[in-house]
Amino acid sequence: MSTLTDLNMQQLLVGLQKKDFSALEVAKTYNAAVEKAAPLNAFITTTPEQALKQAAESDARRAAGKAGALEGVPLGIKDMFCTKGVRTTASSKMLENFVPTYESTVTQKLFDAGIVSLGKLSCDEFAMGASNITSAYGPVINPWTGADPVHAARQLVPGGSSGGSSAAVAAHAVVAATGTDTGGSCRQPAALTGTVGMKPTYGRCSRWGIVAFASSLDQAGTLTRTVWDSAKMLEVMAGFDDKDSTSADRPVPSFTGACGQSVKGLRVGIPREYRLDGIPDYVNKAWDDGIAMLKNAGAEIVDISLPNTAAALPVYYIIAPAEASSNLARYDGVRFGLRVPGKNLIDTYEQSRGAGFGPEVRRRILIGTYVLSAGYYDAYYLKAQQVRAKLMADFKAAYEKCDVILAPTAPDTAFGIGEKTADPVQMYLEDVFTVTANLVGIPAMSVPVGLAPNGLPLGLQIMARNWEEETMFRAASALESAAGFSAKPPFRV
Amino acid sequence: MTIIKGRTGEWEMVIGLEVHAQITSHSKLFSGASTTFGADPNHQVSLVDAAFPGMLPVINKQCVVQAVKTGFGLNAHINLESVFDRKNYFYPDLPAGYQISQYQKPIVGKGYLDIDLPDGTSKRIGITRLHLEQDAGKSLHDQSPKDTYVDLNRAGVALMEIVSEPEMTGPEEAAAYVKKLRAILQYIGSCDGNMEEGSMRADVNLSVRRKGEKKLGTRCEIKNVNSIRFIMAAIEYEAQRQIEIVEAGGTIAQETRLWDTTKHETRALRSKEEAHDYRYFPDPDLLPLRLDAAWVEDLRRALPELPDAKKERLMQQYGLKAYDATTLVADQAAADFFEAVAKGRDGKLAANWVTVELFGALNKLGREISHSPISATQLSELVGLIEDNTISGRIAKDVFEVMLETGQNPAAIVQEKGWQQMTDMGAIDAAIDAILAQHADKVAEYKSGKDKLFGFFVGQVMKATGGKANPAALNDLLKKKLS
């Protein structure tokens, strides 16, 4: 069993193709793995029977010579993706009993390519958070514990919002998982769990059927064990969808083909503004190591400036809550989701939303409502949009000088459950390196590069130009092979 | 201009209208759900309309086409880039918690239309803007003693909100504005203009000021008035209410009011302080709507003839008076019907038969012209029979009555009834002689100066000939014989 779950997606696909094992065997093994991983609390809903059924169908397709691109691969699905007939909660009490009658475009594409779904993975409530502790279904536990006794004695967060995805991938409870990334929700959890997290260009994947958090920032993404696995998943997930007006009508190139390509002559930008005060030395050292690795692989290292970097986090925490406050207005207890009957209409709204939403979601709705209010709109929302345009200009100018940008993914390693919760701003700082890619729309991915002295994984982030995921995968796979990160968490199925 | 006499002097009103017109299209503004009127509650609702998690709006191109065409119909500027915004508020019939509308950048900018007033003059009223937005659903308060039911069939249906400048000065002008706007929308085919089914409704903005005063008074907005009659009544009531308040030393509170169709009064709905903060912001699910200039120009070129142009043409081509032309073009079907009747006939005569006889008959029957029992071909044939002197205008009215009842063709009726006009001079001559001989005494009276008796002789001859004597020939002959 351990050997099967140790295979990454690429290896698993080869084995399935060579009939070393059947999809049904794989599914059975992973159903057991999911059960074994229960202490991590990574899943909100498991679907073992569905997995077996899909695996049997997968074997039949393969036998009939109709194998899809991901035929027989068992995945976990972040609970932000609506799945037909399978409860979809967005980790919220509000949607505790919500069973969609429809399948999100991205998961439909994955199913069409032959995947087997093991279940729905926890995340921060409505994907709002960087630690997975805002889930209404309890925190997810990082399978990593760290080397020193202080760390080893406590439970760590797996990052967020895609914390169920990152923990499950790191613990080998799934081969890979879908994620969503609004401000770093695929990349930061990947960095904290030693996995690969990727968000494509805004518009690359359809948002149809994904529970909306902040529409101008949300993108589907992946959490995988390798860069190639991520590229393979994106090839399936990407593509134009006429049901999403913001999805782009452009061809999907071979992302796996870009993996392993030489980075000789590739210009790697190092943004000087990302050398922040208060960042531990080992984070900066990992960054420097990453720079050296790419340089050794033939890349050209370029010093670049992104002058408005400091404004990105405040801008993000205006725009994302503003959109969220409106996107979450539909959860009113009238048509679906939680309803707590009140004395009258307003009371019913207040009771339902008060009981359905956790404190972080309520906080962001309040912030968003405030920044859009008459009298504050110009000072906050409008100003934030103007700064967002400046950030875009920063990147446009930087990409004249370089092809990709290399930076840390997260400001530190995984922290303990219960830490950084007293002051929301401390938690928001987790996103300091990641939010910019969402504000600008560019593709970005985190690759594990090593362990910090505390024995916890560190990740570095590659950002590319809009629609240049191929360049991103090329640089990321070069970094991956140079780093040769092979450490595994103590908790594994 | 309507002037109202108050206790303390004369007053005038300032009126602007916001008309919500439902766009004629098979599906809703941002979803594929059907828009047919009268379906069972909640049977025309997609997941998008009901705002399920993860659902996204996609603009319906047909609705954009309709808005652009309407913009041209209102002589307005078409904005090649417009933006959809979210208007946020909670209400059970607004599933998403926001309405997708256009706030700062509407699809259509400034324009105008010319309204036709009852005295035959016309007046130009400015159009401020036209924007696209979603309709809300319907809250049903009368289905249960304690619960409100929600019907989402209308939720997401495409509306055009057409905003006028505050340039109307009385109920007649407001009525003329709505009639003209409705005619334009119907000609273009962008809205059926059916106010009873709610396809068109108006928010009336009204303030009063002393006659000659330049400064505007505080306005009130009367929401969702759904007939021209109610618009006029609401304006009259509201103006009077405001004048009475000011004359009694009070001030007008800026507020939203509604028109109570049973009590015939306006009533306060909410004050300015209670007004929602809608927190408008650009909808991040929709990209700015960018239109290709050449595509827009193609739409302009393909526009049908609009009421004003048609009126001008009818006057020139058929020699119609402004009044008749205005009456005919107010309804495109009527104008088309008229042109079919007038083909190869005298235009004025044809217009008279359509606007007086046919409209009168339809009115009595309570029928639309599209369901006229007499076809345009039949009416044209009747006018032809008058023109070639087969029958007189008076007999024609009898023929018309038979046509209404039986649907027969006029020539057949005339033939069957033997109503052909007597044009044989000899026969008329003989009839005259017989009457004059019968009434020798009256002839003597006439000759001694009692001119009025001429009509008596005409009547007698007509009676004797069964009304078939050609009136002109009869007149001529009779005059000769009596001179």
Side-chain angles (χ1 to χ4, degrees), chain A residues 105-292:
Chain A
T105 299
V106 163
T107 48
Q108 186 62 55
K109 280 169 171 273
L110 288 167
F111 283 122
D112 290 346
I115 67 145
V116 169
S117 173
L118 297 168
K120 304 298 290 291
L121 291 160
S122 182
C123 56
D124 280 294
E125 186 179 4
F126 283 100
M128 297 176 189
S131 62
N132 217 110
I133 56 164
T134 71
S135 168
Y137 304 89
V140 173
I141 294 149
N142 193 330
W144 289 86
T145 43
D148 64 87
V150 184
H151 273 92
R154 54 186 192 156
Q155 293 185 321
L156 303 180
V157 303
S161 66
S162 309
S165 301
S166 66
V169 173
H172 292 185
V174 296
V175 178
T178 64
T180 60
D181 193 314
T182 305
S185 283
C186 284
R187 292 160 285 154
Q188 184 261 11
L192 268 52
T193 56
T195 56
V196 174
M198 184 277 305
K199 82 157 278 274
T201 309
Y202 182 81
R204 182 64 94 177
C205 293
S206 168
R207 293 183 296 113
W208 192 90
I210 300 175
V211 176
F213 161 15
S215 309
S216 76
L217 304 162
D218 293 346
Q219 261 298 290
T222 64
L223 283 115
T224 55
R225 302 186 197 175
T226 68
V227 172
W228 188 95
D229 289 2
S230 175
K232 187 71 180 172
M233 271 180 83
L234 185 61
E235 283 174 5
V236 171
M237 290 160 63
F240 175 63
D241 179 6
D242 60 12
K243 290 185 291 195
D244 175 2
S245 310
T246 64
S247 94
D249 192 359
R250 49 168 68 227
V252 179
S254 165
F255 300 127
T256 47
C259 297
Q261 299 267 329
S262 165
V263 290
K264 203 161 191 311
L266 189 76
R267 297 172 303 165
V268 177
I270 310 300
R272 67 180 78 111
E273 292 81 4
Y274 280 51
R275 298 274 178 195
L276 299 179
D277 289 342
I279 299 291
D281 289 344
Y282 51 81
V283 171
N284 283 322
K285 183 178 176 299
W287 190 11
D288 292 336
D289 290 347
I291 294 168

Side-chain angles (χ1 to χ4, degrees), chain B residues 230-243:
Chain B
F230 288 153
I231 289 171
M232 296 179 78
I235 288 171
E236 272 161 27
Y237 178 91
E238 179 63 16
Q240 204 63 48
R241 185 188 73 89
Q242 292 187 14
I243 290 166

Side-chain angles (χ1 to χ4, degrees), chain A residues 296-318:
Chain A
N296 289 340
E300 185 192 328
I301 305 301
V302 190
D303 177 46
I304 58 161
S305 173
L306 297 167
N308 293 291
T309 293
L313 201 63
V315 163
Y316 176 83
Y317 276 97
I318 290 169

Side-chain angles (χ1 to χ4, degrees), chain A residues 82 95 98 101-102 202 207-212 215-216 242-246 322-323 326-327 329-332 334-336 345 349 353 369 372-374 377 381, chain B residues 47-59 85-86 88 90-98 104 150 152 277-287:
Chain A
C82 289
L95 292 175
F98 177 63
T101 57
Y102 48 93
Y202 182 81
R207 293 183 296 113
W208 192 90
I210 300 175
V211 176
S215 309
S216 76
D242 60 12
K243 290 185 291 195
D244 175 2
S245 310
T246 64
E323 293 181 7
S326 177
N327 281 337
R330 67 190 56 200
Y331 305 106
D332 56 5
V334 174
R335 299 168 313 289
F336 53 80
L345 176 65
Y349 282 154
R353 289 168 67 81
T369 304
L372 289 174
S373 300
Y377 180 89
Y381 184 78
Chain B
L47 292 164
V48 175
D49 305 325
F52 269 64
M55 292 300 104
L56 297 171
V58 176
I59 185 80
D85 297 279
R86 292 185 183 178
N88 295 282
F90 282 94
Y91 206 67
D93 61 22
L94 187 74
Y98 55 84
Q104 284 181 330
V150 176
L152 295 180
D277 178 355
Y278 289 120
R279 291 171 281 121
Y280 282 101
F281 75 107
D283 190 331
D285 286 333
L286 292 160
L287 301 171

Side-chain angles (χ1 to χ4, degrees), chain B residues 152-461:
Chain B
L152 295 180
N153 281 356
R154 289 190 71 93
V157 162
L159 302 177
M160 295 180 283
E161 180 171 325
I162 301 160
V163 183
S164 84
E165 294 289 326
E167 293 175 348
M168 285 161 271
T169 60
E172 289 79 16
E173 289 187 8
Y177 173 85
V178 176
K179 279 183 196 162
K180 189 53 165 286
L181 180 59
R182 187 173 59 181
I184 291 169
L185 297 175
Q186 286 171 335
Y187 272 61
I188 287 171
S190 60
C191 171
D192 65 21
N194 191 330
M195 297 186 89
E196 273 170 29
E197 289 179 2
S199 299
M200 232 178 118
R201 47 193 200 262
D203 297 343
V204 180
N205 283 284
L206 183 147
S207 64
V208 296
R209 60 185 173 192
R210 286 189 188 279
K211 190 184 163 191
E213 170 73 51
K214 288 273 179 292
K215 220 174 117 234
L216 289 169
T218 304
R219 72 188 162 86
C220 288
E221 180 179 20
I222 311 157
K223 280 278 188 203
N224 274 333
V225 193
N226 65 357
S227 81
I228 291 176
R229 196 159 54 86
F230 288 153
I231 289 171
M232 296 179 78
I235 288 171
E236 272 161 27
Y237 178 91
E238 179 63 16
Q240 204 63 48
R241 185 188 73 89
Q242 292 187 14
I243 290 166
E244 278 166 23
I245 290 173
V246 180
E247 289 196 325
T251 50
I252 305 298
Q254 186 177 335
E255 61 190 6
T256 302
R257 303 179 67 83
L258 56 82
W259 171 248
D260 186 321
T261 54
T262 45
K263 290 183 181 160
H264 292 271
E265 61 182 31
T266 67
R267 225 165 350 128
L269 198 61
R270 56 177 178 263
S271 71
K272 191 184 173 190
E273 288 70 31
E274 294 166 314
H276 295 292
D277 178 355
Y278 289 120
R279 291 171 281 121
Y280 282 101
F281 75 107
D283 190 331
D285 286 333
L286 292 160
L287 301 171
L289 181 61
R290 294 197 176 89
L291 307 179
D292 177 59
W295 181 80
V296 167
E297 179 57 21
D298 285 348
L299 288 178
R300 191 187 64 78
R301 279 206 217 101
L303 278 187
E305 184 183 38
L306 294 175
D308 286 344
K310 196 182 279 284
K311 177 181 162 188
E312 280 304 311
R313 186 174 59 77
L314 293 190
M315 289 168 67
Q316 297 220 335
Q317 187 175 336
Y318 300 98
L320 302 191
K321 290 210 180 73
Y323 180 83
D324 283 343
T326 303
T327 307
L328 287 169
V329 302
D331 178 0
Q332 191 174 21
D336 290 347
F337 193 99
F338 161 73
E339 291 210 74
V341 173
K343 199 171 176 192
R345 309 281 178 239
D346 178 73
K348 281 189 209 166
L349 189 59
N352 205 41
W353 275 90
V354 173
T355 59
V356 181
E357 304 301 333
L358 183 67
F359 283 5
L362 291 175
N363 226 350
K364 263 188 229 157
L365 293 169
R367 286 208 199 176
E368 297 291 323
I369 193 143
S370 52
H371 294 89
S372 168
I374 295 175
S375 74
T377 320
Q378 288 177 319
L379 192 57
S380 183
E381 187 182 311
L382 181 66
V383 174
L385 293 175
I386 302 166
E387 279 181 8
D388 67 12
N389 285 325
T390 306
I391 53 174
S392 67
R394 205 189 63 73
I395 291 286
K397 290 184 185 177
D398 296 339
V399 177
F400 184 83
E401 289 301 321
V402 179
M403 288 166 76
L404 271 180
E405 271 173 40
T406 66
Q408 275 181 286
N409 287 335
I413 297 167
V414 170
Q415 190 68 39
E416 189 183 301
K417 305 260 182 194
W419 283 348
Q420 292 90 341
Q421 193 157 246
M422 198 182 277
T423 45
D424 175 351
M425 287 303 185
I428 298 173
D429 197 76
I432 293 173
D433 286 347
I435 293 298
L436 295 186
Q438 251 177 39
H439 301 284
D441 50 339
K442 293 248 171 31
V443 174
E445 280 179 50
Y446 177 83
K447 289 197 169 158
S448 65
K450 222 170 169 189
D451 290 355
K452 277 193 286 183
L453 281 168
F454 188 79
F456 168 78
F457 296 124
V458 171
Q460 289 301 312
V461 178

